Amino acid sequence: QVQDMPGGPRVRQLNMPEGVTQIAQDIAWLHWMVMIVCAVIFVGVFGVMFYSILMHRKSRGAVPAKFHEHVGVEVAWTVIPFIIVIAMALPATRTVVEMKDTSNAGLTVKATGYQWRWGYEYVDGPAQGVKFMSSLSTPRAQIDGTEPRSPTYLMEVDNPLVVPVNTKVRVVLTANDVIHSWMVPDFGVKQDAIPHFLRDAWFRAEKVGTYRGQCAELCGKDHAFMPIVVDVLSQEDYAEWSKEQQRLLAEAADDPGKEWSKDELIARGEKVYATYCVACHQANGKGLPGTFPALDGDEKYVLAPMKDQILTVLNGHPGTAMAAWRDILNDVEIGAVITYTRHAWSNQGKGADPIVQPSDVQALR
Amino acid sequence: MSSVTADHIAPAGTGHADHGHHHVPTGWRRWLFATNHKDIGTMYLIFSFVMLLEGGALALLLRLELFSPGLQFFQPELFNQFTTMHGLIMIFGAIMPAFVGFANWMIPLQIGASDMAFARMNNFSFWLLPVGGILLTASFFVPGGANAAGWTMYAPLSLQMGPGMDFAIFAVHILGASSIMGAINIVVTILNMRAPGMTLMKMPMFCWTWLITAYLLIAVMPVLAAAVTMLLTDRHFGTHFFNAAGGGDPVLYQHVFWFFGHPEVYIMILPAFGIVSQIVPAFARKKLFGYASMVYATAAIAILSFLVWAHHMFTTGMPTTGQLYFMYATMLISIPTGVKVFNWVATMWRGSMTFETPMLFAIGFIFVFTIGGFTGLIVAVAPVDIQLHDTYYVIAHFHYVLVAGSLFALFAGAYYWLPKWTGRMYNEKLGKLHFWSTMLSFNLTFFPMHWLGLAGMPRRYADYAAQFTDFHQVATIGAIWFGFSQLIFLYVAINAWRGKGEPAPANPWEGAEGLEWTVPSPAPFHTFETPPTVK
Amino acid sequence: MSASRSDQGKEAPYYYVPADSAHPVRASASALLTLLGAALWLNGSQTGHWMFLVGIFCFLFVIYRWFSDAIRESEQGLNSRRVDHSYRWAMGWFIFSEVMFFAAFFGALWYARSVTTPWLGDFDHQRLLWPGFTGTWPNFGPGGAIAPFETMGPLWLPTINTALLLTSGLTLTLSHHAVRAAQRGKAIFWLAVTVILGFTFVACQAYEYFHAYADLNLRFDSGIYGALFYMLTGFHGFHVILGASILTVILFRMIRGHFTADNHFGFEGAAWYWHFVDVVWLGLYFFVYWF
Ligand code: HEA
Ligand code: HEA
Ligand code: CUA
Ligand SMILES: [Cu+2]
């Protein structure tokens, strides 16, 4: 039996979420207000119509009247709706102005849309410099239905965005490939991420908790698989979390100068491949004919000298879905994943340059 | 369809001038080489119904996938093709050509003209449609499959697509050319070929709404052509219209597209308004209330439609002033639209109504379209749209106006004029069954989508959180029911066409007025070769 | 395309409706071949290339036959006043649709200059995305991938072209006056001058493109500036070729004596088109070359 998702949709939810920001609540209020006005007009208009349908039917002997215009009522039903519309627009105006005011934020994070995951980077605050990728964590088996689905099916990630409560958080959005859209209904935020442009939005969460949303702009095949999860922590917990992240950051810095062994590279590369490449090129390396080229047995790049493949991974392939990975993956990861592709499946390291060291990548960067 | 026997009856008001083409061409030549507005209209209607089935079949396939969470039948890349092509085929293949078919059949009959102004170009407009239809359908079978970037074809996603995208671009070009030629033909026919005495303000509402629609078409189809041409050069010739690295802007595409796109939705509804404005007075046996204000309201909707396009772009991050302006302008459209609704209700008021199938569909139209109009108004409120944009709420909104709006009006018009086209009365029982079945299944399909959208279910998703399951299941069941209900119509129409059923008199409807009812049913091959005089 | 005549002593029908015709369906089939071919060709198919060429050829041939028929009907006096009016309305609204087509590109130009460019160069973008991009027009794009180019100024070629087109508008009007005054020789002369001016414009434009590619490195793929420059001037140039070709046909018809002082819509329609092309050019001259 499916249960309500904490911070996500409820089962058979009939209305907008109540929300945990002032803006979300304002929106919910606006929606109620406009809907009620419309409902009243609707009942009025169709009350008249159905009365007429009931009473003025030929089978009851109704004789058609002769009138066919009346300046008075025609003016009235033009002017009165006009006034109603203005009355609805006024409170909406206030909310628009508030939503667009991203100044004086207490924390700024940059969110970048990738096909198909989100990347976050803390631009200021105690976690400044921390950055990570946030990918769907639902296992494939659940999607294929061979495993029971978790209550947070499709709306769970490996690394959620973490923000403090009661702080105005400004999210600066951009994208790397196509347009995505960052939506969290509980915050009343939905903002498109336009590739290589910046847009911004803000929210001030008033309750500690986990809130969920999904990518809301068609961005290709895995559009449904790039959710957004935001952990809202108390101020203390947030400070704690930031400290931990800074420590991990210092620890995890890979050393590209180091000479890696083949097995180390393949092991690391396999993980990178599973996170970033598998969506298009597929686990079996066969890609999808017509859109995503196969890596298995590919003579042009994978079994050829390393240079072209390194450059392609670094810079992408314009006009196709192949993204530039230079800002997402470091030299170690790129070297590792290329080495992996050169050994996986039937490739077995039989092409030129079976091993690509991080230093090789660094040299071409 | 004019049958051969009726062709020799010289009806009242259809004098003739002999200039050597009075024969009815036979066999395939009659259709392939047609210059007769009735034959061309028939071909338009058949084509659009075939496209409705194709687009509907795609919808049923995607609804099937959405029956439960997880990926059952189709991988997302194929699902996105279904969604995209469903939208494109329904809009450019089904709804728009169907209205042009009605225009072809009815406008010359309603204004007392012998044919459309440019009979050969008329046939060209039609025969370009199968070209577009073939390009769209064929694109499923090229490497990479069909366009999967949504019917809106937003850059840069559309720049990533395979050859299928080029097929779609060319199809849009060709269908656009067809629409422009068709629209010019209609404008000229209405402005230049009215019978003596048929002043503009005496024209049937259907002609008026089509006149204004035709202007919309002439104005915005070239803009769409420009938009997809820029896509084409970005895809193949290295231009940077939509690429920031070269100084371009993906949002530029959206502006150009929606400058077309918003008027486009009124292109699909104004003729529907026209049809309903013919039917309601006929079955209320009372003149249309507020004829003049109907005309002005139609014009006002058309003019406003050019000024509101960015309400589809509230989440792209426009400046505050932009959002406010587009919100206000959009909300204004409800006023002239409201005038129309009020006028229809006032027409029924104290009429003497009967409820044959056309009237049922017309009333159904008014009732359900208004729900769609109200949800349009709700998403026009910018902050509310921030929550609802790109969710199933929008899907619900536009299926309420497009299916229960445009499509219902098309059915209403088809039943209304079927006797004139075929010379046979359709089967009233089956017609009513069709209406009720369609009405109920329609709401079953699309009403729950409002709730899905409010709860945050994004559109164009092949898979969804399990909490959304119940309403998706209801929608899928409704969709299958809705789809198969349309086969009733197919049966009814084919029967009438094959000459089954009661012969229809020249005017089968007690309250119907207009020149089209002065010629026999079925309408002879040639009508009004010398124009009637309208008092 | 001209109006009714009764020189054969025959009244034109009230409204001439042509008999069934094979042209439209043939034109559609050619269009299918052309576009299918183009789509395949763009994606690297050699067969597509040939399909495209054959399709275009067939299409032009069908159109040629079609227009020949239309002209013949006009010359047989089948077209009444009313048909003449139809042609006028149709030509007018067709030109309006063309205006909208160009308006879309002018709108794109405006948007790219006044919205996109400053936006890309604003403070936030400089800080977080595009350090060093200042948002001036014209620009090489912030991505650094556009080879530097020089822009095309208004002097001298475009100004000469402006003069050519304006003059051609004038000569065309002279020809029109001559037609109306039934001075056939004069009309032919000025029309011929117009056609020559038109093709001279095309030649200049071709030279300008050559110059842009060879000397300025201004190419179709030179960022948003190059894209808009070639899209606008290119589509305009295409319309000049079209307009000049139509005028050429009209010239030949005139030489054959097709037009009379009060029946010459074919001429007038072509003239409207030519003036439209002229006006678009003025827009280009101001917004693309000068400002
Ligand atoms: C036939 C087609 C049709 C019609 C007629 C309409 C009519 C309207 N539409 Fe709709 N719309 C679409 C087709 C249509 N739309 C489509 C296809 C999309 C999605 C495209 C896509 O993204 O794929 C869309 C999307 C869409 C959006 C963008 C949503 C989003 O993506 O976030 C918006 C936002 O403003 C909108 C608004 C409106 C409004 C205000 C009207 C108004 O015209 C409605 C006016 C009518 C009424 C209001 C009811 C009757 C009035 C009264 C009884 C009078 C009294 C009323 C008052 C005073 C309130 N529409
Ligand atoms: C006028 C246009 C029109 C019409 C009539 C319809 C009709 C229907 N539409 Fe839709 N729809 C759009 C225009 C239209 N649509 C547009 C523009 C989009 C947006 C696309 C995009 O996002 O890009 C859309 C998107 C859309 C979606 C969202 C998809 C997504 O976001 O992923 C859904 C989901 O349920 C849907 C469902 C339906 C259904 C169930 C019908 C039903 O009414 C269809 C009923 C079926 C039939 C009438 C066919 C009958 C067929 C049979 C009985 C089978 C037999 C088959 C053969 C004989 C071949 N449509
Ligand atoms: Cu990212 Cu949809
Ligand atoms: Cu709109």
Side-chain angles (χ1 to χ4, degrees), chain B residues 67-103:
Chain B
F67 186 73
S68 49
L71 296 177
Q72 273 65 239
F73 305 103
F74 310 112
Q75 290 303 307
E77 52 273 26
L78 186 57
F79 177 92
N80 291 350
Q81 295 174 31
F82 288 164
T83 297
T84 303
M85 300 308 281
H86 162 67
L88 280 173
I89 287 177
M90 283 300 194
I91 287 178
F92 293 105
I95 303 295
M96 290 170 69
F99 281 124
V100 185
F102 273 77

Short mmCIF file of all heavy atoms in Angstrom, two decimals, chain B residues 67-103:
data_model
loop_
_atom_site.label_atom_id
_atom_site.label_comp_id
_atom_site.label_asym_id
_atom_site.label_seq_id
_atom_site.Cartn_x
_atom_site.Cartn_y
_atom_site.Cartn_z
N PHE B 67 -0.33 4.01 -16.91
CA PHE B 67 -1.32 3.32 -16.08
C PHE B 67 -0.76 3.01 -14.70
O PHE B 67 -1.46 3.08 -13.71
CB PHE B 67 -1.79 2.03 -16.77
CG PHE B 67 -2.91 1.36 -16.04
CD1 PHE B 67 -4.18 1.90 -16.07
CD2 PHE B 67 -2.70 0.21 -15.29
CE1 PHE B 67 -5.23 1.30 -15.39
CE2 PHE B 67 -3.74 -0.40 -14.61
CZ PHE B 67 -5.02 0.16 -14.66
N SER B 68 0.52 2.70 -14.63
CA SER B 68 1.10 2.49 -13.31
C SER B 68 2.54 3.00 -13.29
O SER B 68 3.15 3.17 -14.35
CB SER B 68 1.03 1.02 -12.94
OG SER B 68 1.53 0.25 -13.98
N PRO B 69 3.05 3.27 -12.10
CA PRO B 69 4.42 3.77 -12.02
C PRO B 69 5.40 2.71 -12.49
O PRO B 69 5.08 1.53 -12.55
CB PRO B 69 4.59 4.08 -10.52
CG PRO B 69 3.53 3.31 -9.83
CD PRO B 69 2.41 3.16 -10.80
N GLY B 70 6.59 3.15 -12.79
CA GLY B 70 7.58 2.25 -13.35
C GLY B 70 7.49 2.28 -14.86
O GLY B 70 6.59 2.89 -15.43
N LEU B 71 8.46 1.63 -15.51
CA LEU B 71 8.44 1.59 -16.96
C LEU B 71 7.90 0.24 -17.39
O LEU B 71 8.54 -0.78 -17.19
CB LEU B 71 9.85 1.82 -17.51
CG LEU B 71 10.44 3.20 -17.22
CD1 LEU B 71 11.86 3.29 -17.74
CD2 LEU B 71 9.59 4.29 -17.83
N GLN B 72 6.69 0.23 -17.95
CA GLN B 72 6.07 -1.03 -18.32
C GLN B 72 6.37 -1.41 -19.76
O GLN B 72 6.90 -2.46 -20.05
CB GLN B 72 4.54 -0.95 -18.18
CG GLN B 72 4.02 -1.27 -16.82
CD GLN B 72 4.47 -0.25 -15.80
OE1 GLN B 72 5.12 -0.59 -14.84
NE2 GLN B 72 4.15 1.01 -16.03
N PHE B 73 5.94 -0.54 -20.65
CA PHE B 73 5.93 -0.90 -22.06
C PHE B 73 6.99 -0.18 -22.87
O PHE B 73 7.56 -0.72 -23.79
CB PHE B 73 4.56 -0.61 -22.67
CG PHE B 73 3.45 -1.27 -21.92
CD1 PHE B 73 2.65 -0.54 -21.06
CD2 PHE B 73 3.22 -2.62 -22.07
CE1 PHE B 73 1.62 -1.15 -20.36
CE2 PHE B 73 2.21 -3.24 -21.38
CZ PHE B 73 1.40 -2.51 -20.51
N PHE B 74 7.20 1.11 -22.56
CA PHE B 74 8.05 1.92 -23.43
C PHE B 74 9.17 2.55 -22.62
O PHE B 74 8.96 2.96 -21.48
CB PHE B 74 7.23 3.00 -24.11
CG PHE B 74 6.00 2.46 -24.77
CD1 PHE B 74 4.75 2.77 -24.28
CD2 PHE B 74 6.11 1.62 -25.86
CE1 PHE B 74 3.62 2.27 -24.89
CE2 PHE B 74 4.98 1.11 -26.47
CZ PHE B 74 3.72 1.44 -25.99
N GLN B 75 10.33 2.67 -23.24
CA GLN B 75 11.41 3.43 -22.64
C GLN B 75 11.08 4.91 -22.76
O GLN B 75 10.34 5.31 -23.67
CB GLN B 75 12.73 3.08 -23.33
CG GLN B 75 13.21 1.67 -23.02
CD GLN B 75 13.38 1.41 -21.53
OE1 GLN B 75 14.05 2.18 -20.84
NE2 GLN B 75 12.73 0.36 -21.02
N PRO B 76 11.65 5.73 -21.87
CA PRO B 76 11.28 7.15 -21.88
C PRO B 76 11.50 7.82 -23.22
O PRO B 76 10.73 8.69 -23.61
CB PRO B 76 12.19 7.76 -20.82
CG PRO B 76 12.66 6.64 -19.98
CD PRO B 76 12.56 5.39 -20.78
N GLU B 77 12.56 7.45 -23.95
CA GLU B 77 12.81 8.16 -25.21
C GLU B 77 11.67 7.92 -26.19
O GLU B 77 11.29 8.81 -26.95
CB GLU B 77 14.17 7.80 -25.81
CG GLU B 77 14.47 6.33 -25.99
CD GLU B 77 15.09 5.71 -24.73
OE1 GLU B 77 14.86 6.23 -23.62
OE2 GLU B 77 15.79 4.70 -24.86
N LEU B 78 11.09 6.72 -26.14
CA LEU B 78 9.96 6.45 -27.03
C LEU B 78 8.70 7.16 -26.50
O LEU B 78 7.92 7.74 -27.25
CB LEU B 78 9.73 4.94 -27.13
CG LEU B 78 8.66 4.51 -28.13
CD1 LEU B 78 8.98 5.03 -29.52
CD2 LEU B 78 8.54 2.99 -28.17
N PHE B 79 8.55 7.14 -25.21
CA PHE B 79 7.41 7.82 -24.59
C PHE B 79 7.40 9.30 -24.98
O PHE B 79 6.35 9.86 -25.36
CB PHE B 79 7.49 7.68 -23.07
CG PHE B 79 6.40 8.40 -22.34
CD1 PHE B 79 5.22 7.75 -22.02
CD2 PHE B 79 6.55 9.74 -21.98
CE1 PHE B 79 4.21 8.42 -21.36
CE2 PHE B 79 5.54 10.41 -21.32
CZ PHE B 79 4.36 9.75 -21.02
N ASN B 80 8.57 9.92 -24.92
CA ASN B 80 8.63 11.35 -25.28
C ASN B 80 8.26 11.56 -26.74
O ASN B 80 7.68 12.60 -27.09
CB ASN B 80 10.02 11.91 -25.01
CG ASN B 80 10.33 12.00 -23.53
OD1 ASN B 80 9.44 11.83 -22.69
ND2 ASN B 80 11.57 12.25 -23.20
N GLN B 81 8.59 10.59 -27.58
CA GLN B 81 8.16 10.71 -28.98
C GLN B 81 6.64 10.65 -29.08
O GLN B 81 6.03 11.40 -29.84
CB GLN B 81 8.77 9.59 -29.82
CG GLN B 81 10.28 9.65 -29.93
CD GLN B 81 10.84 8.45 -30.65
OE1 GLN B 81 10.22 7.87 -31.54
NE2 GLN B 81 12.05 8.05 -30.29
N PHE B 82 6.05 9.77 -28.29
CA PHE B 82 4.59 9.67 -28.32
C PHE B 82 3.96 10.99 -27.91
O PHE B 82 3.06 11.51 -28.59
CB PHE B 82 4.11 8.57 -27.36
CG PHE B 82 4.41 7.18 -27.83
CD1 PHE B 82 4.34 6.11 -26.95
CD2 PHE B 82 4.75 6.92 -29.15
CE1 PHE B 82 4.62 4.82 -27.38
CE2 PHE B 82 5.03 5.64 -29.58
CZ PHE B 82 4.96 4.58 -28.69
N THR B 83 4.42 11.53 -26.80
CA THR B 83 3.85 12.79 -26.32
C THR B 83 3.98 13.88 -27.37
O THR B 83 3.01 14.57 -27.71
CB THR B 83 4.57 13.23 -25.03
OG1 THR B 83 4.33 12.25 -24.02
CG2 THR B 83 4.06 14.56 -24.56
N THR B 84 5.20 14.02 -27.88
CA THR B 84 5.46 15.08 -28.85
C THR B 84 4.61 14.93 -30.10
O THR B 84 3.94 15.88 -30.53
CB THR B 84 6.94 15.03 -29.24
OG1 THR B 84 7.73 15.16 -28.06
CG2 THR B 84 7.29 16.12 -30.22
N MET B 85 4.63 13.73 -30.65
CA MET B 85 3.93 13.53 -31.91
C MET B 85 2.41 13.55 -31.69
O MET B 85 1.66 13.98 -32.58
CB MET B 85 4.36 12.22 -32.57
CG MET B 85 5.83 12.18 -32.87
SD MET B 85 6.41 13.60 -33.80
CE MET B 85 5.86 13.15 -35.42
N HIS B 86 1.98 13.12 -30.52
CA HIS B 86 0.55 13.26 -30.20
C HIS B 86 0.15 14.73 -30.29
O HIS B 86 -0.83 15.08 -30.95
CB HIS B 86 0.28 12.70 -28.81
CG HIS B 86 -1.00 13.16 -28.19
ND1 HIS B 86 -2.23 12.81 -28.69
CD2 HIS B 86 -1.25 13.96 -27.12
CE1 HIS B 86 -3.18 13.36 -27.95
NE2 HIS B 86 -2.62 14.08 -26.99
N GLY B 87 0.93 15.59 -29.65
CA GLY B 87 0.61 17.02 -29.68
C GLY B 87 0.65 17.57 -31.09
O GLY B 87 -0.28 18.24 -31.55
N LEU B 88 1.74 17.29 -31.81
CA LEU B 88 1.88 17.85 -33.16
C LEU B 88 0.78 17.36 -34.08
O LEU B 88 0.17 18.14 -34.83
CB LEU B 88 3.24 17.46 -33.74
CG LEU B 88 4.45 18.26 -33.29
CD1 LEU B 88 5.73 17.64 -33.83
CD2 LEU B 88 4.35 19.70 -33.77
N ILE B 89 0.51 16.06 -34.03
CA ILE B 89 -0.47 15.50 -34.96
C ILE B 89 -1.87 16.00 -34.64
O ILE B 89 -2.65 16.35 -35.53
CB ILE B 89 -0.38 13.96 -34.95
CG1 ILE B 89 0.90 13.53 -35.66
CG2 ILE B 89 -1.61 13.33 -35.61
CD1 ILE B 89 1.14 12.05 -35.65
N MET B 90 -2.21 16.06 -33.36
CA MET B 90 -3.53 16.54 -33.00
C MET B 90 -3.73 17.99 -33.45
O MET B 90 -4.76 18.35 -34.01
CB MET B 90 -3.74 16.45 -31.49
CG MET B 90 -4.03 15.06 -30.99
SD MET B 90 -5.53 14.41 -31.74
CE MET B 90 -5.87 13.00 -30.73
N ILE B 91 -2.74 18.82 -33.19
CA ILE B 91 -2.91 20.24 -33.48
C ILE B 91 -2.86 20.50 -34.98
O ILE B 91 -3.77 21.09 -35.57
CB ILE B 91 -1.86 21.06 -32.73
CG1 ILE B 91 -2.22 21.08 -31.25
CG2 ILE B 91 -1.76 22.48 -33.29
CD1 ILE B 91 -1.25 21.81 -30.38
N PHE B 92 -1.76 20.05 -35.63
CA PHE B 92 -1.58 20.40 -37.04
C PHE B 92 -2.27 19.42 -37.99
O PHE B 92 -2.52 19.75 -39.13
CB PHE B 92 -0.08 20.47 -37.38
CG PHE B 92 0.62 21.61 -36.70
CD1 PHE B 92 1.45 21.39 -35.62
CD2 PHE B 92 0.43 22.91 -37.13
CE1 PHE B 92 2.09 22.44 -34.99
CE2 PHE B 92 1.06 23.97 -36.50
CZ PHE B 92 1.89 23.73 -35.43
N GLY B 93 -2.51 18.21 -37.50
CA GLY B 93 -3.11 17.22 -38.39
C GLY B 93 -4.61 17.07 -38.20
O GLY B 93 -5.34 16.87 -39.16
N ALA B 94 -5.07 17.14 -36.95
CA ALA B 94 -6.48 16.86 -36.70
C ALA B 94 -7.31 18.13 -36.59
O ALA B 94 -8.20 18.38 -37.40
CB ALA B 94 -6.64 16.00 -35.44
N ILE B 95 -7.03 18.96 -35.59
CA ILE B 95 -7.95 20.06 -35.31
C ILE B 95 -7.93 21.13 -36.39
O ILE B 95 -8.97 21.52 -36.93
CB ILE B 95 -7.64 20.68 -33.93
CG1 ILE B 95 -7.72 19.61 -32.84
CG2 ILE B 95 -8.57 21.83 -33.65
CD1 ILE B 95 -9.09 19.04 -32.62
N MET B 96 -6.74 21.61 -36.76
CA MET B 96 -6.71 22.70 -37.74
C MET B 96 -7.29 22.29 -39.09
O MET B 96 -8.16 22.99 -39.62
CB MET B 96 -5.29 23.25 -37.90
CG MET B 96 -4.82 24.01 -36.66
SD MET B 96 -3.08 24.38 -36.73
CE MET B 96 -3.04 25.58 -38.07
N PRO B 97 -6.87 21.17 -39.67
CA PRO B 97 -7.47 20.78 -40.95
C PRO B 97 -8.97 20.54 -40.85
O PRO B 97 -9.71 20.82 -41.80
CB PRO B 97 -6.73 19.50 -41.32
CG PRO B 97 -5.44 19.57 -40.59
CD PRO B 97 -5.75 20.27 -39.31
N ALA B 98 -9.43 20.02 -39.71
CA ALA B 98 -10.87 19.79 -39.60
C ALA B 98 -11.63 21.10 -39.74
O ALA B 98 -12.64 21.17 -40.46
CB ALA B 98 -11.19 19.13 -38.27
N PHE B 99 -11.15 22.14 -39.10
CA PHE B 99 -11.85 23.42 -39.23
C PHE B 99 -11.76 23.96 -40.65
O PHE B 99 -12.71 24.57 -41.14
CB PHE B 99 -11.29 24.45 -38.23
CG PHE B 99 -11.82 24.24 -36.84
CD1 PHE B 99 -10.96 24.06 -35.76
CD2 PHE B 99 -13.19 24.23 -36.60
CE1 PHE B 99 -11.46 23.86 -34.48
CE2 PHE B 99 -13.68 24.03 -35.32
CZ PHE B 99 -12.82 23.85 -34.25
N VAL B 100 -10.61 23.76 -41.31
CA VAL B 100 -10.52 24.21 -42.69
C VAL B 100 -11.50 23.42 -43.56
O VAL B 100 -12.11 23.95 -44.49
CB VAL B 100 -9.08 24.09 -43.23
CG1 VAL B 100 -8.99 24.68 -44.63
CG2 VAL B 100 -8.12 24.83 -42.33
N GLY B 101 -11.68 22.14 -43.23
CA GLY B 101 -12.66 21.34 -43.95
C GLY B 101 -14.06 21.93 -43.81
O GLY B 101 -14.79 22.06 -44.80
N PHE B 102 -14.41 22.29 -42.60
CA PHE B 102 -15.71 22.94 -42.40
C PHE B 102 -15.80 24.24 -43.19
O PHE B 102 -16.83 24.54 -43.80
CB PHE B 102 -15.92 23.26 -40.91
CG PHE B 102 -16.54 22.12 -40.15
CD1 PHE B 102 -15.77 21.03 -39.78
CD2 PHE B 102 -17.88 22.15 -39.78
CE1 PHE B 102 -16.33 19.98 -39.08
CE2 PHE B 102 -18.45 21.10 -39.09
CZ PHE B 102 -17.67 20.01 -38.73
N ALA B 103 -14.71 25.00 -43.17
CA ALA B 103 -14.72 26.27 -43.89
C ALA B 103 -14.96 26.03 -45.37
O ALA B 103 -15.76 26.71 -46.01
CB ALA B 103 -13.39 27.00 -43.67
#
